[in-house]
Amino acid sequence: MKTQLVTMFDMFFGAKSKNKIVEDSTSKLFLTHTDTFSGRTLVIEEEAYTVWVYLLCENKENIDFDGFLCAVTNPFTANNIALQKITPTKKDIPFPSVFANEYSYVENLKKKDIKINWRKDHINIFIKTSLYLIMNIKEKCSYSKALTKDCDYGMQLHY
């Protein structure tokens, strides 16, 4: 939590840099990116088991909507999670294997692996050269390559 607060403070009052990464003692990924055209800010944060992308509201005080990028622990070797536990705590539990596919687990994800491509109505997020997440700004929903079906984690990316 301290890392996120410091980064948000730096984002609003610090240097003019558009990309920042902060790594705490656990080396969890935390990246912010601001689109120069729209002024909107995207936050990518590694939680205990998953990586989430948040699009901040235009006032940068709240989250507009989020998207599931990937898991950082292998969902096929983790304990199966009762689906009724997902909704309130989905960011604090291992990613359920019932929603997982071959793209769900990304081992040793680093800042250099992530590319953000802003468009007028959507944001494309790549891991290495593969499109992993589309965040539709107009509809406020996300489409993830790491999902096998539509669920509480988001919509499945079909292409």
Side-chain angles (χ1 to χ4, degrees), residues 54-84:
Y54 305 98
L55 181 63
L56 300 182
C57 294
E58 292 182 30
N59 65 10
K60 295 180 176 49
E61 293 181 13
N62 297 305
I63 295 170
D64 198 6
F65 69 101
D66 62 15
F68 173 72
L69 187 60
C70 64
V72 293
T73 59
N74 191 335
F76 298 110
T77 59
N79 294 332
N80 283 333
I81 302 300
L83 296 182
Q84 62 269 23

Side-chain angles (χ1 to χ4, degrees), residues 53 55 64-68 121-123 133-144 150-151 153-156:
V53 181
L55 181 63
D64 198 6
F65 69 101
D66 62 15
F68 173 72
D121 297 331
H122 65 279
I123 305 163
L133 184 68
I134 297 175
M135 298 186 77
N136 186 315
I137 298 170
K138 281 188 172 184
E139 295 177 11
K140 295 186 180 186
C141 66
S142 59
Y143 300 89
S144 177
D150 298 347
C151 60
Y153 285 80
M155 308 291 278
Q156 180 184 14

Side-chain angles (χ1 to χ4, degrees), residues 2 7 48 50 54 62 69 82 98 101 108 111 149:
K2 178 182 172 188
T7 301
T50 54
Y54 305 98
N62 297 305
L69 187 60
V98 68
N101 60 30
N108 298 319
K111 176 192 175 202
K149 55 185 164 186

